[in-house]
Amino acid sequence: MKSFLILLSLMISPLSYSASYSCDNSDCNKEIAELVAGKVFEDSVNGEIDVNFSLLNDNAYGAYELATGDKLGNDFGNTHGVLLEISRTDSFKINYKFVYFSNLYTERQSEKYNSDPYGSTYDQYFTEENIIKVVVNNKAQGKDKYIEVGVGIIELNHQDVRSFLSAAQQQVLMHDAMGSYHPNNLESGRENELGGFIEAGVGKQFIYQADNRKIRIVGDAKFSGVLSTIMDTSSVTASAGVDAYYQASERSWAFKAGTRVSSTIHRTGEAPMHELEASVGIGKGSYSFEIMLKKAFAGDKQNYQVYNYDNDTIVTLNFHKVFGGNDDKYEGESYKTEYISPY
């Protein structure tokens, strides 16, 4: 609870810093005027379409084990997920985002692998959490504080293995492709659950930008809540994070490093769940790629999924593409200074 209150205090504190620069002097050239270091990692603000596609896994898809000989996760509990986000910011700097999320939680039916003519298999019980929602925020308006609201549907699937967009089917396809054991998903006797939810949040943001614009630091604190017809999925979260970007010029590679901490009060435990996330990324033009690591480090995990009991590090691979942007600037065209939001 103490960590939750500390994060909440960041929301209401008067601390805020924003660096702004004028391009009316002779030392400010076109390249400096246009550079917003690391903007390729963020939602665009000029009417383009942003697409984020993420894959989540507790064993880093075997890469960590190949590199170190040790497993990062046990491939059970919170084990695999897929996230798709499509967003656009309109002329009023309001961002509209469609989100599809599917995540798989499993529990071993026994401690032994089974063998058949096709190789090894593993019997497991599962819960597949599926979420579809629409989220709206005004971050791109560049104000000190912002609001975010959303509405969606949530399903807790205990019975069906569906299309390739579902986390349960993706785990099967990936294990078969990698020559690993074949997951055999069993029905646990639980009925599928379907519900609706609303979410709302208020946040505070700040930005520091170096005089040469090559370094930019973005901070954010947020207080949010989810109210669902499936009551155990309701929660209240306080979080804070900071991202640092470096980019030498508008056409050069951009680099990112960030961290975020959050505390969540929920119905499925006596103590708030505390999580820590770290990320690094690289991007250029309209493409970016990030690796994020997230781990619960204290408190009780939110476990409405039944099998979210272990504490493995979740690795997320995120691919971001901007569609409709103008990456190519023509030499000699007339230049007009314009506001470019850091968000």
Side-chain angles (χ1 to χ4, degrees), residues 245-258:
Y245 305 96
Y246 174 80
Q247 189 172 354
S249 68
E250 188 181 16
R251 301 190 183 197
S252 67
W253 288 96
F255 303 93
K256 172 188 176 180

Side-chain angles (χ1 to χ4, degrees), residues 62 67 123 302:
D123 292 339
Q302 188 175 17

Side-chain angles (χ1 to χ4, degrees), residues 63-240:
Y64 185 86
E65 186 176 1
L66 288 174
T68 66
D70 299 320
K71 286 189 174 183
L72 191 63
N74 58 17
D75 229 11
F76 292 94
N78 184 353
T79 182
H80 178 75
V82 57
L83 172 69
L84 175 65
E85 298 178 329
I86 303 173
S87 65
R88 182 181 183 273
T89 301
D90 66 15
S91 58
F92 297 100
K93 305 302 180 184
I94 304 296
N95 181 266
Y96 301 87
K97 181 176 293 183
F98 168 83
V99 179
Y100 167 77
F101 176 64
S102 181
N103 206 72
L104 180 67
Y105 305 83
T106 63
E107 180 178 67
R108 297 169 175 167
Q109 192 270 340
S110 68
E111 292 297 322
K112 295 182 179 181
Y113 290 94
N114 301 316
S115 296
D116 58 37
Y118 301 99
S120 61
T121 64
Y122 217 121
D123 292 339
Q124 61 185 26
Y125 298 120
F126 74 100
T127 298
E128 183 184 72
E129 178 183 13
N130 297 309
I131 292 175
I132 295 177
K133 65 180 179 178
V134 176
V135 182
V136 180
N137 71 67
N138 66 338
K139 260 191 171 186
Q141 293 178 350
K143 298 178 181 179
D144 181 43
K145 294 181 176 65
Y146 67 91
I147 60 175
E148 185 174 83
V149 294
V151 60
I153 58 175
I154 179 172
E155 181 198 36
L156 301 179
N157 167 31
H158 307 285
Q159 301 175 347
D160 308 310
V161 178
R162 300 166 180 163
S163 74
F164 72 95
L165 284 178
S166 69
Q169 181 67 285
Q170 283 194 6
Q171 187 195 43
V172 172
L173 294 175
M174 289 183 176
H175 275 240
D176 290 350
M178 296 172 64
S180 182
Y181 71 87
H182 177 85
N184 184 25
N185 292 301
L186 307 176
E187 290 190 23
S188 61
R190 297 178 180 272
E191 295 295 325
N192 293 347
E193 298 178 79
L194 182 66
F197 66 90
I198 57 174
E199 60 183 50
V202 293
K204 184 172 184 178
Q205 57 189 350
F206 72 88
I207 177 173
Y208 164 79
Q209 192 161 241
D211 290 338
N212 62 9
R213 294 180 177 259
K214 294 181 180 180
I215 296 175
R216 188 168 64 102
I217 299 175
V218 177
D220 176 271
K222 183 179 177 183
F223 180 77
S224 60
V226 177
L227 180 61
S228 173
T229 58
I230 303 176
M231 291 304 298
D232 281 349
T233 68
S234 301
S235 63
V236 176
T237 299
S239 63

Side-chain angles (χ1 to χ4, degrees), residues 1 4 234-238 263-269 271-273 302:
M1 180 64 72
F4 185 89
S234 301
S235 63
V236 176
T237 299
S263 294
T264 300
I265 297 175
H266 55 90
R267 292 167 50 92
T268 60
M273 174 179 63
Q302 188 175 17

